[in-house]
Amino acid sequence: MPHSPELRRQIEDLALRLVVEDSDDGRPASVWIPALEQIRDSALREQAGPVSAAATAILDEINAAGEPDDETGRVAGVLQEGFTRLQQALDLEPQPVAVPDLQISQDPELLSDFILESREHLAAIEAQVLTIERDPKDAEALNSVFRGFHTIKGLAGFLELWEVQKLAHEVETVLDLARNSQLTITPAATDVILQGADYLRRWVTHLDLTLQKQPSAAPPRDEPLLVRIHALAAGRPASEPAPAGLAVMAGAVETPPAEEAPASPAAPARAARRNDSATRSETMAVKVDTAKLDYLVDMAGEMVIAESLVRHDAELGALKSQKLQRKIAQLTRITAELQKTAMAMRLVPIGPLFRRMARLVRDLSRQFGKRVEMETQGDQIELDRNIVEELADPLMHMVRNALDHGLEPPEERQAHGKNPTARLLLKAQHQAGQVVIEISDDGRGLNRERIQSKAIERGLIAAGDGLADTEIYNLIFLPGFTTAAEVTNVSGRGVGMDVVRRHIEKLRGRIEIRSTPGSGSTFLLKLPLTLAIIDGLVVGVGEERYIVPLFAVREMFRPAPETIWTVQQRDEMALVRGSLMPVLRLYRRFRVAPRSEDPLQSVLVVAEVEGQRFCILVDELIGKQEVVIKTLGEMFRNVAGVAGGAILGDGRVGLILDLDRLFKEKSADAAH
Amino acid sequence: MSSIMLSMNEPAAASQTDPRAGKYLTFQLANEEFGIRVLKVREIMGLQEITAVPQTPAHVKGVINLRGKVVPVIDLRLKFGMATAEYTQRTCIIVTQVQGESASVLMGIIVDGVSEVLNLTAAEIEDTPDFGEAVAGQYLLGMAKVKGKVKILLDIDRVLSTQDLHNLNAIVH
């Protein structure tokens, strides 16, 4: 694509002025700024990266030089020199699209910083745009969106990502108009801005993949989008190909960000609080290498152990000094606090994830022609960073399901005497050391009959099974199960709920369903606070100690003679509360010498894996302990049945059992 | 002991042509003397309680807690097929930093006792004689003769290669 004659003409005009007016010493350098800005902007529009970069460089130099009169000679020099570069740039073959090789040649560190920062900005933009949609006059939100695009534009220019820079620049222009009250942000405008953000996100993903040396094609330039943005800036209505009938839904209301969700306080207080949180996140964030964090957590853990060794030291205890006791108590408090803080550093609030869902709800509600008001509660609840990341997919599935299956169209709702605007609530809260995330809607609720008949049809249950509601509801977690009459691109293909459950279980969480026909359903995700710590049941086998993850433990007891039954002299089953379950003797599996081979002298631990229960036979129960999970490293990668290690209270390493593999490979052993 | 080690960590002064020249930590196994590069050594510690890991070869003794890190420990006697010996007061664990499959990892080796740190010149180091296939020559950097005694210089990265272990696992299963 050659440069347009217009750009060439602009530059030539400037050259002429430069030659003619150069002799006029009295003129300040700033008179050149408008012309240069014009050139830069046209160059940006035309993807003429080198030209816009050269123009920007001159502008920067002029700005840096400032106004003093005695400097004009120098400024003229700068102009002359800069101008030569500008002309050279013009003569260069234009390089509209940054080729992937070019990006690789960029400093990978700078590029990854760019990726990280852009993602943060894009997330903030999305949340704030939704705020603006609700209140177009929210100057703070508008500014924040503007700043986001502006920063991305600047960084992209620095990294020579011209496509990114160009789009960010265009959107920024629109936002600037809005900031100056020359343009009102309509829902249509919001769409365009969000699409712009989407386009930038595609670029960021592409860069990320390229950086990881994975094949990825640069997103093609979205001409229609650019045209729409231009139209917006020019004040014409964006001619978006909106599907007929959905225009009505443009008013679909949401309660996006966070802070104001829990209660509904008076409006002024609301604005103030949002400001607070904005400043807080800007001033307090520090990026830290996770390896350093892990090391800090390790050291804090070691300190707790060292402290406990000192506290329980017999010689020290014999001193019976009250003063010493007080000092030790103080030390104990500080170490505990230190460990808690170190642990908390891995945690991030769930709010941003909820805000991403707000975007999804907005898009889907328009697509389905449903009116949905989304509310979030407990945005400040913190979870392990990894959990929040892993949670995105399952949460998205569930929100989609709720919008597709759960919520009725406005007419149907009205016919049932409900508010035509449906409610979707995302709520996070602490409960007994766990975080419970609730996704509830006020739609139809799960259809017990339909699930049941579908399950019978597929031979999953028998007609007269007489299952309880929860058991019926849990059927939707089976792979390939769907009750949707037709498959849409959103849901109904039966991939979904089983994936959701797998995800949640991978995070060591559980999922529960509550539903009332006609008035809605609620999905409860019960998750651990962090993946780094686990509540463990410490058990002893011979000289060794193992840690059983407590979330999988259902009960434990000393077996009676009538509990354990052999099957063909090979396998053993235990009869627990009327149901038979396989028994795994841990000492046999791990080939360690037990204290006793007699089950009556041992303890049975009933564990549950993917809905199936089995018993583990151990010598004794030692206690419950919260432990930090550590990997055993690549050396023990292939050791089946061990999920990792943990430092126990006395400083020794205990092995954490991998119940999943223990159970599955138990069945494999039996097959030999 | 580790503080002594640190002072030894300065770069080898003599830049001989032989890349094997430099400082070595020597230790005993049975009646033999071995040496490993000082730069590979992180720490020397007394024997402590080792947690056994199931389904691993006999020479893998298990894991220890090294200030919050879980570090695997190998009994070098067993690894080299020597007779087992009772652990004594002199027995210790040398924590080494070796090249793993993806990153460098810490690994402990149990040895009968640590001797000294030697600064070996190229003249003192010889290539390993060809023993045929019976001796695991691939672990060896060479031989050093110091004051009439022979020290076996180990390529500790190779000795502790986890790839080996995984191959072994595959055979066992």
Side-chain angles (χ1 to χ4, degrees):
Chain A
M1 186 187 80
H3 296 300
S4 75
E6 201 206 351
L7 181 61
R8 191 169 282 276
R9 189 182 52 78
Q10 279 176 352
I11 294 176
E12 279 166 0
D13 277 358
L14 186 67
L16 196 66
R17 276 179 64 195
L18 211 58
V19 175
V20 174
E21 296 172 14
D22 195 22
S23 51
D24 198 346
D25 281 330
R27 299 174 72 96
S30 53
V31 298
W32 303 105
I33 291 177
L36 281 167
E37 276 181 341
Q38 207 182 356
I39 291 172
R40 181 196 60 192
D41 289 357
S42 344
L44 272 178
R45 234 186 333 271
E46 288 183 41
Q47 301 286 305
V51 178
S52 68
T56 315
I58 306 177
L59 278 167
D60 287 346
E61 278 184 82
I62 294 176
N63 286 331
E67 286 288 335
D69 281 355
D70 54 332
E71 290 278 330
T72 35
R74 203 177 73 77
V75 169
V78 166
L79 274 176
Q80 275 298 341
E81 199 184 276
F83 198 75
T84 322
R85 267 183 285 148
L86 198 59
Q87 274 177 319
Q88 278 166 357
L90 187 66
D91 292 333
L92 276 176
E93 250 329 276
Q95 293 178 309
V97 182
V99 257
D101 297 346
L102 191 79
Q103 287 148 26
I104 281 303
S105 71
Q106 299 278 1
D107 184 348
E109 214 162 286
L110 284 180
L111 207 53
S112 76
D113 276 354
F114 171 72
I115 291 167
L116 209 71
E117 238 175 278
S118 303
R119 286 213 167 115
E120 279 169 20
H121 285 301
L122 288 171
I125 285 170
E126 211 157 73
Q128 297 297 338
V129 165
L130 296 181
T131 313
I132 298 172
E133 188 175 36
R134 225 160 28 91
D135 176 13
K137 293 192 181 54
D138 191 327
E140 181 49 41
L142 200 50
N143 271 328
S144 141
V145 175
F146 176 82
R147 271 199 306 274
F149 277 106
H150 184 76
T151 313
I152 292 176
K153 179 179 94 167
L155 292 171
F158 184 57
L159 290 167
E160 302 177 0
L161 303 167
W162 308 121
E163 285 285 340
V164 175
Q165 189 195 27
K166 179 177 164 61
L167 192 115
H169 173 77
E170 298 295 346
V171 178
E172 189 191 321
T173 312
V174 171
L175 290 165
D176 200 30
L177 290 173
R179 279 207 308 180
N180 300 329
S181 311
Q182 288 164 327
L183 186 137
T184 316
I185 301 283
T186 58
T190 316
D191 274 344
V192 173
I193 296 169
L194 285 176
Q195 282 160 7
D198 285 346
Y199 177 78
L200 295 183
R201 182 167 288 134
R202 280 200 293 280
W203 257 99
V204 171
T205 311
H206 159 69
L207 292 176
D208 199 8
L209 288 173
T210 319
L211 204 59
Q212 291 167 26
K213 305 247 188 298
Q214 286 174 26
S216 163
R221 193 185 325 169
D222 194 342
E223 284 293 354
L225 178 60
L226 286 171
V227 169
R228 281 206 296 282
I229 299 174
H230 279 152
L232 203 61
R236 275 169 282 149
S239 56
E240 195 205 351
L246 287 190
V248 202
M249 305 319 308
V253 202
E254 285 144 41
T255 316
E259 291 76 32
E260 56 247 302
S264 47
R270 243 176 8 188
R273 220 161 348 137
R274 186 163 44 234
N275 286 345
D276 283 350
S277 80
T279 29
R280 190 191 61 200
S281 59
E282 271 166 33
T283 52
M284 303 275 290
V286 176
K287 279 180 198 143
V288 182
D289 186 357
T290 42
K292 279 188 194 161
L293 254 183
D294 288 348
Y295 187 66
L296 182 68
V297 173
D298 280 356
M299 286 299 108
E302 282 300 290
M303 194 159 153
V304 169
I305 292 166
E307 182 270 333
S308 133
L309 289 178
V310 170
R311 185 155 40 100
H312 296 120
D313 188 85
E315 283 173 45
L316 218 55
L319 287 178
K320 301 253 178 287
S321 149
Q322 260 202 343
K323 233 164 129 187
L324 181 68
Q325 289 304 324
R326 264 209 305 280
K327 284 175 187 161
I328 289 181
Q330 173 76 352
L331 181 66
T332 309
R333 263 198 305 279
I334 294 171
T335 18
E337 190 65 26
L338 186 69
Q339 193 190 26
K340 219 174 85 192
T341 313
M343 292 295 185
M345 284 167 75
R346 300 158 168 271
L347 305 185
V348 295
I350 196 160
L353 180 63
F354 280 178
R355 264 162 256 164
R356 271 166 70 189
M357 297 305 133
R359 168 77 196 275
L360 183 72
V361 168
R362 176 185 183 277
D363 292 352
L364 288 181
S365 62
R366 298 182 69 176
Q367 189 181 337
F368 293 137
K370 291 176 181 177
R371 254 191 254 176
V372 186
E373 186 171 337
M374 185 179 126
E375 192 190 327
T376 62
Q377 287 180 18
D379 291 55
Q380 76 288 355
I381 298 283
E382 291 188 321
L383 276 165
D384 195 294
R385 199 192 139 91
N386 295 338
I387 296 186
V388 172
E389 272 167 20
E390 287 285 323
L391 207 55
D393 277 354
L395 207 57
M396 213 131 76
H397 268 302
M398 280 188 286
V399 167
R400 275 183 189 156
N401 271 342
L403 262 93
D404 194 10
H405 306 305
L407 298 175
E408 316 90 330
E411 311 80 54
E412 190 183 326
R413 291 181 66 91
Q414 237 155 2
H416 284 92
K418 289 183 176 177
N419 185 337
T421 303
R423 262 186 92 240
L424 183 70
L425 172 72
L426 295 184
K427 177 175 164 187
Q429 59 180 332
H430 285 289
Q431 209 175 74
Q434 282 187 313
V435 170
V436 180
I437 295 172
E438 189 181 320
I439 301 114
S440 48
D441 64 59
D442 64 349
R444 320 183 163 96
L446 288 173
N447 189 331
R448 194 195 138 100
E449 278 66 47
R450 196 133 122 229
I451 297 171
Q452 197 167 17
S453 62
K454 202 78 174 192
I456 294 170
E457 182 186 309
R458 296 194 44 192
L460 296 168
I461 53 169
D465 270 357
L467 296 176
D469 280 357
T470 31
E471 288 170 296
I472 297 275
Y473 295 152
N474 280 331
L475 290 172
I476 67 168
F477 292 120
L478 294 176
F481 195 91
T482 180
T483 59
E486 61 182 307
V487 173
T488 68
N489 70 342
V490 176
S491 49
R493 279 163 304 184
V495 287
M497 291 317 281
D498 63 316
V499 178
V500 167
R501 179 159 86 164
R502 247 208 326 277
H503 261 97
I504 302 297
E505 284 186 353
K506 208 173 89 195
L507 297 172
R508 299 202 300 267
R510 273 201 262 176
I511 183 163
E512 281 172 26
I513 308 174
R514 284 179 207 150
S515 180
T516 319
S519 53
S521 34
T522 299
F523 290 84
L524 294 170
L525 309 182
K526 300 191 170 173
L527 296 160
L529 269 176
T530 164
L531 291 177
I533 310 172
I534 191 174
D535 260 334
L537 178 70
V538 185
V539 299
V541 179
E543 291 298 302
E544 300 296 332
R545 278 167 303 169
Y546 300 100
I547 299 155
V548 190
L550 204 60
F551 65 89
V553 173
R554 294 294 166 265
E555 58 182 310
M556 42 219 162
F557 58 93
R558 194 176 282 280
E562 64 276 10
T563 313
I564 298 200
W565 303 88
T566 55
V567 182
Q568 295 177 335
Q569 298 300 315
R570 276 202 342 214
D571 273 333
E572 282 172 308
M573 302 291 277
L575 190 62
V576 183
R577 291 179 211 290
S579 51
L580 276 173
M581 40 190 105
V583 173
L584 173 81
R585 294 193 181 208
L586 206 56
Y587 70 86
R588 271 191 200 155
R589 180 59 187 275
F590 283 170
R591 305 214 169 89
V592 292
R595 259 165 262 177
S596 158
E597 298 218 357
D598 180 6
L600 303 187
Q601 302 296 314
S602 315
V603 179
L604 276 182
V605 177
V606 180
E608 185 171 321
V609 174
E610 283 178 12
Q612 288 174 296
R613 293 187 177 201
F614 73 112
C615 297
I616 305 168
L617 188 78
V618 299
D619 282 348
E620 59 165 343
L621 300 177
I622 294 169
K624 201 191 109 175
Q625 196 189 336
E626 209 173 60
V627 295
V628 179
I629 302 171
K630 302 188 186 237
T631 157
L632 292 185
E634 56 192 41
M635 180 155 214
F636 302 115
R637 204 174 42 200
N638 292 339
V639 175
V642 176
I647 314 291
L648 295 175
D650 60 357
R652 268 186 66 184
V653 181
L655 300 179
I656 303 170
L657 300 185
D658 179 350
L659 295 175
D660 204 38
R661 278 184 77 180
L662 271 183
F663 177 65
K664 284 189 184 141
E665 277 160 41
K666 190 205 166 314
S667 336
D669 279 354
H672 281 184
Chain B
M1 215 126 15
S2 56
S3 59
I4 306 173
M5 297 307 314
L6 279 177
S7 62
M8 302 298 178
N9 268 353
E10 75 244 6
S15 60
Q16 291 98 333
T17 41
D18 194 333
R20 293 174 296 184
K23 284 183 174 154
Y24 285 80
L25 173 75
T26 61
F27 57 86
Q28 308 111 39
L29 285 180
N31 58 344
E32 297 177 1
E33 282 269 327
F34 292 83
I36 54 174
R37 278 192 170 282
V38 156
L39 289 173
K40 291 281 176 190
V41 178
R42 281 287 152 271
E43 191 160 340
I44 301 169
M45 58 194 336
L47 207 58
Q48 50 171 279
E49 274 198 274
I50 302 174
T51 300
V53 178
Q55 297 149 0
T56 47
H59 68 265
V60 179
K61 297 308 279 185
V63 287
I64 54 166
N65 168 21
L66 179 71
R67 287 189 303 279
K69 280 200 172 61
V70 176
V71 175
V73 176
I74 307 285
D75 187 319
L76 215 52
R77 267 180 175 257
L78 298 180
K79 170 81 184 176
F80 289 159
M82 300 174 167
T84 40
E86 285 285 310
Y87 292 154
T88 66
Q89 276 300 104
R90 295 206 60 223
T91 308
C92 53
I93 301 176
I94 304 176
V95 179
T96 60
Q97 181 138 34
V98 297
Q99 192 53 48
E101 280 155 55
S102 47
S104 73
V105 292
L106 292 179
M107 239 185 247
I109 51 175
I110 301 179
V111 299
D112 289 359
V114 171
S115 316
E116 58 186 326
V117 173
L118 290 176
N119 200 352
L120 297 178
T121 59
E124 290 169 309
I125 300 174
E126 271 182 26
D127 287 343
T128 317
D130 189 359
F131 296 109
E133 286 186 10
V135 174
Q138 82 243 32
Y139 296 153
L140 306 182
L141 284 174
M143 300 284 174
K145 308 146 298 175
V146 183
K147 293 175 204 136
K149 283 186 184 164
V150 172
K151 319 269 179 190
I152 305 158
L153 306 184
L154 291 175
D155 182 345
I156 198 70
D157 283 331
R158 291 240 177 115
V159 174
L160 299 180
S161 155
T162 48
Q163 200 52 51
D164 227 31
L165 182 70
H166 292 148
N167 293 344
L168 199 67
N169 267 344
I171 297 164
V172 169
H173 284 133

Short mmCIF file of all heavy atoms in Angstrom, two decimals, chain A residues 3 8 11 50-51 54 58 80-94:
data_model
loop_
_atom_site.label_atom_id
_atom_site.label_comp_id
_atom_site.label_asym_id
_atom_site.label_seq_id
_atom_site.Cartn_x
_atom_site.Cartn_y
_atom_site.Cartn_z
N HIS A 3 1.85 5.31 0.12
CA HIS A 3 1.31 6.40 0.93
C HIS A 3 0.32 7.19 0.08
O HIS A 3 0.48 7.32 -1.12
CB HIS A 3 2.43 7.33 1.37
CG HIS A 3 3.40 6.65 2.26
ND1 HIS A 3 3.04 6.10 3.45
CD2 HIS A 3 4.71 6.43 2.12
CE1 HIS A 3 4.09 5.56 4.00
NE2 HIS A 3 5.12 5.74 3.21
N ARG A 8 1.78 12.79 1.52
CA ARG A 8 2.94 13.34 0.84
C ARG A 8 2.81 14.87 0.71
O ARG A 8 3.75 15.61 0.97
CB ARG A 8 3.08 12.69 -0.54
CG ARG A 8 4.38 12.98 -1.24
CD ARG A 8 4.53 12.08 -2.45
NE ARG A 8 4.92 10.73 -2.09
CZ ARG A 8 6.19 10.38 -1.88
NH1 ARG A 8 7.14 11.27 -1.97
NH2 ARG A 8 6.51 9.15 -1.57
N ILE A 11 3.44 16.72 3.95
CA ILE A 11 4.85 16.79 4.30
C ILE A 11 5.56 17.81 3.41
O ILE A 11 6.39 18.60 3.87
CB ILE A 11 5.51 15.41 4.20
CG1 ILE A 11 4.90 14.50 5.28
CG2 ILE A 11 7.02 15.49 4.36
CD1 ILE A 11 5.38 13.09 5.25
N PRO A 50 6.78 4.31 10.08
CA PRO A 50 8.01 5.11 10.16
C PRO A 50 7.73 6.61 10.12
O PRO A 50 8.36 7.39 10.85
CB PRO A 50 8.80 4.67 8.93
CG PRO A 50 8.27 3.33 8.58
CD PRO A 50 6.83 3.34 8.99
N VAL A 51 6.77 7.00 9.30
CA VAL A 51 6.46 8.43 9.18
C VAL A 51 5.90 8.96 10.50
O VAL A 51 6.35 9.98 11.02
CB VAL A 51 5.46 8.67 8.04
CG1 VAL A 51 5.12 10.15 7.95
CG2 VAL A 51 6.01 8.17 6.73
N ALA A 54 8.58 9.24 13.04
CA ALA A 54 9.46 10.38 12.83
C ALA A 54 8.77 11.67 13.27
O ALA A 54 9.37 12.52 13.94
CB ALA A 54 9.85 10.46 11.36
N ILE A 58 9.88 14.36 16.28
CA ILE A 58 10.09 15.81 16.16
C ILE A 58 9.24 16.55 17.20
O ILE A 58 9.73 17.45 17.89
CB ILE A 58 9.69 16.32 14.75
CG1 ILE A 58 10.44 15.52 13.68
CG2 ILE A 58 9.99 17.80 14.61
CD1 ILE A 58 10.05 15.90 12.28
N GLN A 80 15.04 20.85 11.10
CA GLN A 80 15.69 20.48 9.84
C GLN A 80 16.04 19.00 9.84
O GLN A 80 15.69 18.27 8.92
CB GLN A 80 16.99 21.31 9.67
CG GLN A 80 16.78 22.69 9.05
CD GLN A 80 16.20 22.59 7.65
OE1 GLN A 80 16.27 21.55 7.03
NE2 GLN A 80 15.61 23.66 7.17
N GLU A 81 16.68 18.63 10.91
CA GLU A 81 17.15 17.25 11.00
C GLU A 81 15.98 16.28 11.00
O GLU A 81 15.95 15.28 10.28
CB GLU A 81 17.95 17.11 12.30
CG GLU A 81 18.86 15.92 12.35
CD GLU A 81 19.50 15.85 13.72
OE1 GLU A 81 20.51 16.52 13.92
OE2 GLU A 81 18.98 15.15 14.59
N GLY A 82 14.99 16.63 11.86
CA GLY A 82 13.81 15.78 11.96
C GLY A 82 13.11 15.68 10.63
O GLY A 82 12.59 14.63 10.25
N PHE A 83 13.14 16.77 9.93
CA PHE A 83 12.41 16.78 8.68
C PHE A 83 13.06 15.88 7.65
O PHE A 83 12.39 15.20 6.89
CB PHE A 83 12.30 18.22 8.16
CG PHE A 83 11.23 18.31 7.15
CD1 PHE A 83 9.90 18.30 7.52
CD2 PHE A 83 11.56 18.34 5.81
CE1 PHE A 83 8.92 18.33 6.59
CE2 PHE A 83 10.57 18.37 4.87
CZ PHE A 83 9.23 18.37 5.26
N THR A 84 14.39 15.89 7.66
CA THR A 84 15.09 14.97 6.75
C THR A 84 14.66 13.54 7.02
O THR A 84 14.37 12.77 6.11
CB THR A 84 16.61 15.09 6.98
OG1 THR A 84 16.92 16.46 7.22
CG2 THR A 84 17.38 14.58 5.80
N ARG A 85 14.59 13.23 8.32
CA ARG A 85 14.18 11.87 8.69
C ARG A 85 12.75 11.59 8.23
O ARG A 85 12.41 10.50 7.79
CB ARG A 85 14.28 11.68 10.21
CG ARG A 85 15.63 11.10 10.62
CD ARG A 85 15.68 10.87 12.09
NE ARG A 85 15.85 12.12 12.83
CZ ARG A 85 15.35 12.34 14.04
NH1 ARG A 85 14.65 11.42 14.64
NH2 ARG A 85 15.56 13.48 14.64
N LEU A 86 11.91 12.63 8.35
CA LEU A 86 10.52 12.48 7.96
C LEU A 86 10.44 12.13 6.48
O LEU A 86 9.69 11.24 6.06
CB LEU A 86 9.78 13.79 8.24
CG LEU A 86 8.26 13.74 8.32
CD1 LEU A 86 7.82 12.78 9.39
CD2 LEU A 86 7.73 15.12 8.62
N GLN A 87 11.26 12.83 5.69
CA GLN A 87 11.22 12.57 4.25
C GLN A 87 11.77 11.19 3.92
O GLN A 87 11.24 10.49 3.08
CB GLN A 87 12.02 13.64 3.51
CG GLN A 87 11.14 14.86 3.22
CD GLN A 87 11.92 15.96 2.55
OE1 GLN A 87 13.05 16.22 2.92
NE2 GLN A 87 11.31 16.60 1.58
N GLN A 88 12.82 10.84 4.66
CA GLN A 88 13.37 9.49 4.43
C GLN A 88 12.31 8.45 4.73
O GLN A 88 12.13 7.47 4.00
CB GLN A 88 14.58 9.26 5.34
CG GLN A 88 15.85 9.86 4.77
CD GLN A 88 16.94 9.90 5.81
OE1 GLN A 88 16.72 9.55 6.97
NE2 GLN A 88 18.10 10.35 5.41
N ALA A 89 11.61 8.68 5.82
CA ALA A 89 10.59 7.73 6.23
C ALA A 89 9.52 7.61 5.15
O ALA A 89 8.99 6.54 4.88
CB ALA A 89 9.96 8.17 7.54
N LEU A 90 9.23 8.74 4.55
CA LEU A 90 8.20 8.74 3.53
C LEU A 90 8.65 7.93 2.33
O LEU A 90 7.86 7.25 1.68
CB LEU A 90 7.92 10.19 3.11
CG LEU A 90 6.74 10.39 2.17
CD1 LEU A 90 5.45 10.04 2.89
CD2 LEU A 90 6.70 11.82 1.70
N ASP A 91 9.95 8.00 2.04
CA ASP A 91 10.46 7.29 0.88
C ASP A 91 10.59 5.79 1.12
O ASP A 91 10.69 5.01 0.19
CB ASP A 91 11.81 7.86 0.45
CG ASP A 91 11.64 9.27 -0.10
OD1 ASP A 91 10.54 9.56 -0.61
OD2 ASP A 91 12.58 10.06 0.02
N LEU A 92 10.60 5.42 2.39
CA LEU A 92 10.68 4.00 2.72
C LEU A 92 9.45 3.30 2.20
O LEU A 92 8.37 3.88 2.12
CB LEU A 92 10.73 3.79 4.23
CG LEU A 92 12.07 3.91 4.91
CD1 LEU A 92 11.86 3.77 6.41
CD2 LEU A 92 12.99 2.82 4.41
N GLU A 93 9.60 2.04 1.85
CA GLU A 93 8.41 1.26 1.53
C GLU A 93 7.58 1.22 2.81
O GLU A 93 8.12 0.92 3.88
CB GLU A 93 8.83 -0.17 1.15
CG GLU A 93 8.66 -0.58 -0.29
CD GLU A 93 7.49 0.09 -1.01
OE1 GLU A 93 6.38 -0.39 -0.90
OE2 GLU A 93 7.73 1.10 -1.70
N PRO A 94 6.33 1.51 2.74
CA PRO A 94 5.54 1.44 3.96
C PRO A 94 5.47 0.00 4.48
O PRO A 94 5.42 -0.93 3.69
CB PRO A 94 4.16 1.93 3.52
CG PRO A 94 4.14 1.79 2.04
CD PRO A 94 5.55 1.94 1.58
#
